[in-house]
Amino acid sequence: MSPSIDPVQTSPQLPAATSVVIIGAGIIGLTAALTLAERGIPVVVVEKGRIAGEQSSRNLGWVRKTSRHADDIPLALAADRLWAQMPERVGADVGYRQAGIMFIARNEAQMNMHANWLKSVEHLNLDTRLLSSREIAAKVPGGQGNWVGGIFTQSDARAEPTQASSAIAKAAMAKGVVIVENCAVRTLVTSAGKVSGVLTERGEIRCDQVLLAGGLWSRRFLGNHGVDLPTLPLTCSVLRTEPMEGPTEIAVGAPDFSFRKHKDGGFIITQRGKLDAFLTLDHLLLGRRYLPQLKAQRDFLKISLGKYFLDDLSLARRWKAGAVSPFEKVRVQDPAANQTLNDDALRNLRAAWPVFEQARIAQAWAGTIDVTPDSNPVIGRVAAIPGLTLATGFSGHGFGTSPAAGHLAADLVSGDTPIIDPAPYRFERLA
Ligand SMILES: Cc1cc2nc3c(=O)[nH]c(=O)nc-3n(C[C@H](O)[C@H](O)[C@H](O)COP(=O)(O)OP(=O)(O)OC[C@H]3O[C@@H](n4cnc5c(N)ncnc54)[C@H](O)[C@@H]3O)c2cc1C
């Protein structure tokens, strides 16, 4: 089960018409909706399950520039500004705390990776710096790990995924956005060669533009319209502890664990060195496009063939407008947490910071992320379907950039000056 999000009273009615339909009430759809509503543009957000039921409630809540691709950093810097303004904008705390993020290295190879990354972003003048093992011990006391060094960005932050999603949804609704839950969009409706609406399981909504922010499901949705979005699913397991005394407010990522303070006083922990790759037909179809990543990160993926292959095969890849779609069959993607990975993470963390011996597990969950071949999202229009814009494929790091990513998507939809140069996120780059 995912972490529970503060209840949001959404609309029981499906409007007949609007200007913009957003498919998906994850953090990206919600931030885009908020931005459009602030410009006075009528928006309906249609969600097959519940607000932030998938990735957007399950993530770790890290808001970072550290280790991002240089092309992705302008978006992260814009997001920092927007996160800082968010409490005032939505009239609620979203858990945003600029407590810093640190990655630590066990060997020279890992340290070189951090140093090389820092070199690659030198021109961006970030507040990132390399740390010695002594500086790590001073910032995160009580450790017993043998770190050769680390990298630290004081302006990196955390926010609370469930709190933020719910607060942004409520603020968007207060500004006129209609959110409809438990309602899948089955297909786009087009007329005269452009988008003119969406067909949902409860009927049609006429609109001028559609923003697809469907996370994991965007590939299947687009595939039904003959558009190939080459994303693959990977699953990450997480645990949260009961409230406890911890060593630091800083979020710390080691090669085989990470932790960050949670708003309730506990810690969010994960096995940073491993993700589950449950094979699906898409892994076989797209695998070749991911070979460079696979070679570089072979040890990082735990590849297995099992139940998910058949579950995925049982979902249609093509369906007619009036037919039940795969999105109604899986209201909320809720993979089981991998206890072995969670146990690993906690054991590794306890060895490094023994204060975590007192950690008691309050909850465990997993979430499935949607990865693109270059690990950057797609935020852009689809030339083949005028009126359709994508904001998807956030590759496991879209929560941190979400206020800016949703803003950029809204800019493209409304024709406003983009908040940053959208070129790195064009859909065509993946063609
Ligand atoms: C375990 C885990 C840890 C992570 N940690 C971090 C982190 O620390 N920092 C960070 O920046 N990022 C992190 N991420 C990634 C981050 O959570 C995602 O990039 C981000 O939430 C993506 O938001 P989204 O709105 O695109 O997708 P989602 O939250 O998945 O939302 C998409 C929504 O679209 C809905 N939908 C899809 N198709 C349809 C349809 N046809 N009709 C109606 N509704 C539809 C789905 O039901 C879903 O609710 C993590 C992810 C996971 C799983």
Side-chain angles (χ1 to χ4, degrees), residues 23-29 46-50 52-63 68 183-186 212-218 221 236-238 327 331 365-370 391-392 394-401:
I23 305 175
I27 193 81
I28 301 298
V46 188
E47 166 56 51
K48 69 178 170 63
R50 50 176 204 267
E54 297 194 339
Q55 298 178 77
S56 296
S57 58
R58 295 161 191 261
N59 68 76
L60 309 176
W62 291 41
V63 178
R68 267 181 200 276
C183 183
V185 176
R186 291 177 168 171
L212 176 61
L216 177 66
W217 301 95
S218 298
F221 186 89
C236 173
S237 292
V238 185
F327 316 118
R331 291 278 168 203
W365 65 84
T368 305
I369 62 181
D370 49 338
T392 196
F394 282 84
S395 304
H397 48 81
F399 177 73
T401 50

Side-chain angles (χ1 to χ4, degrees), residues 118-315:
L118 189 53
K119 222 167 178 180
S120 76
V121 295
E122 225 165 31
H123 58 291
L124 294 165
N125 292 320
L126 302 177
D127 60 331
T128 309
R129 60 190 188 83
L130 298 178
L131 295 179
S132 66
S133 56
R134 190 173 295 192
E135 286 171 304
I136 294 169
K139 283 189 179 299
V140 193
Q144 290 194 348
N146 259 337
W147 311 112
V148 297
I151 189 165
F152 177 62
T153 308
Q154 179 64 65
S155 63
D156 279 350
R158 63 176 190 257
E160 294 299 343
T162 55
Q163 208 176 356
S165 299
S166 149
I168 293 169
K170 285 179 189 160
M173 287 169 63
K175 291 176 187 184
V177 172
V178 176
I179 304 180
V180 184
E181 292 178 291
N182 281 309
C183 183
V185 176
R186 291 177 168 171
T187 56
L188 298 170
V189 178
T190 55
S191 39
K194 69 178 286 295
V195 166
S196 59
V198 295
L199 189 63
T200 79
E201 62 184 293
R202 290 197 230 155
E204 186 174 333
I205 310 175
R206 294 189 310 282
C207 65
D208 305 320
Q209 302 212 46
V210 171
L211 174 65
L212 176 61
L216 177 66
W217 301 95
S218 298
R219 169 169 168 75
R220 204 173 283 262
F221 186 89
L222 289 169
N224 192 43
H225 288 281
V227 174
D228 184 33
L229 172 74
T231 51
L232 284 181
L234 293 176
T235 300
C236 173
S237 292
V238 185
L239 63 87
R240 175 174 63 80
T241 74
E242 303 281 1
M244 58 171 278
E245 277 305 311
T248 181
E249 289 283 323
I250 297 170
V252 178
D256 51 13
F257 65 81
S258 77
F259 65 94
R260 69 108 174 148
K261 186 101 176 255
H262 182 252
K263 69 179 163 80
D264 293 341
F267 283 82
I268 303 282
I269 296 169
T270 190
Q271 207 317 7
R272 213 179 137 250
K274 282 261 183 279
L275 286 180
D276 274 306
F278 299 121
L279 290 183
T280 60
L281 180 61
D282 281 341
H283 290 91
L284 307 181
L285 293 173
L286 297 173
R288 280 170 66 89
R289 297 200 58 175
Y290 285 78
L291 279 182
Q293 274 181 328
L294 200 60
K295 274 190 193 140
Q297 304 187 329
R298 196 173 326 145
D299 296 340
F300 185 62
L301 294 180
K302 197 165 174 290
I303 299 174
S304 60
L305 178 64
K307 153 183 184 306
Y308 287 92
F309 192 84
L310 296 176
D311 288 352
D312 176 73
L313 265 193
S314 72
L315 296 175

